[in-house]
Amino acid sequence: QVQLVESGGGLVQPGGSLRLSCAASGNIFSTNVMGWYRQAPGKERELVAVRTSGGSANYADSVKGRFTISRDNAWNTVSLQMNSLKPDDTAVYYCYYYPQVAGYREVWGQGTLVTVSS
């Protein structure tokens, strides 16, 4: 079983910054995708940014140039540096893990709340 532990959420003013971190533990496959999705009230969950253990990344258009995803440990950790935060970034952010092995499902963290408000 895989467990994802998130940290770094909180309250920040518009234009401010936060850094989210996630660590995976358990039966981890070294070849995987990790990253972040988010869900705001009344909206569906959406991709924010993901990065493979091989180094390639994908960002939502709404966060390009403001957010940076990194893999401090290429196989079991991921961080999201969020700069120039906007009120529309307010959401619960969920860590995401997907082993690149046939037959295995994605795993989600419990979520950490990011609130961007004056």
Side-chain angles (χ1 to χ4, degrees):
Q1 302 298 314
V2 174
Q3 182 180 14
L4 305 178
V5 178
E6 302 139 320
S7 63
L11 175 65
V12 65
Q13 294 184 347
S17 298
L18 284 174
R19 185 178 180 88
L20 305 182
S21 297
C22 178
S25 61
N27 190 18
I28 306 299
F29 287 94
S30 60
T31 302
N32 59 64
V33 179
M34 292 188 71
W36 299 88
Y37 285 67
R38 67 186 181 187
Q39 187 167 24
K43 298 182 179 179
E44 65 182 21
R45 187 175 298 185
E46 64 177 356
L47 181 146
V48 179
V50 295
R51 186 178 290 274
T52 71
S53 54
S56 61
N58 186 36
Y59 292 87
D61 288 342
S62 61
V63 307
K64 287 180 179 178
R66 300 189 297 121
F67 292 9
T68 303
I69 189 166
S70 61
R71 301 288 297 269
D72 296 336
N73 182 310
W75 60 275
N76 74 340
T77 63
V78 63
S79 296
L80 185 69
Q81 179 65 44
M82 304 186 294
N83 298 327
S84 301
L85 284 161
K86 305 174 181 179
D88 285 348
D89 294 319
T90 296
V92 176
Y93 285 69
Y94 295 91
C95 186
Y96 167 88
Y97 163 86
Y98 174 72
Q100 292 176 302
V101 179
Y104 288 84
R105 291 184 176 182
E106 63 200 12
V107 179
W108 298 94
Q110 80 283 358
T112 184
L113 178 63
V114 172
T115 302
V116 184
S117 176
S118 298

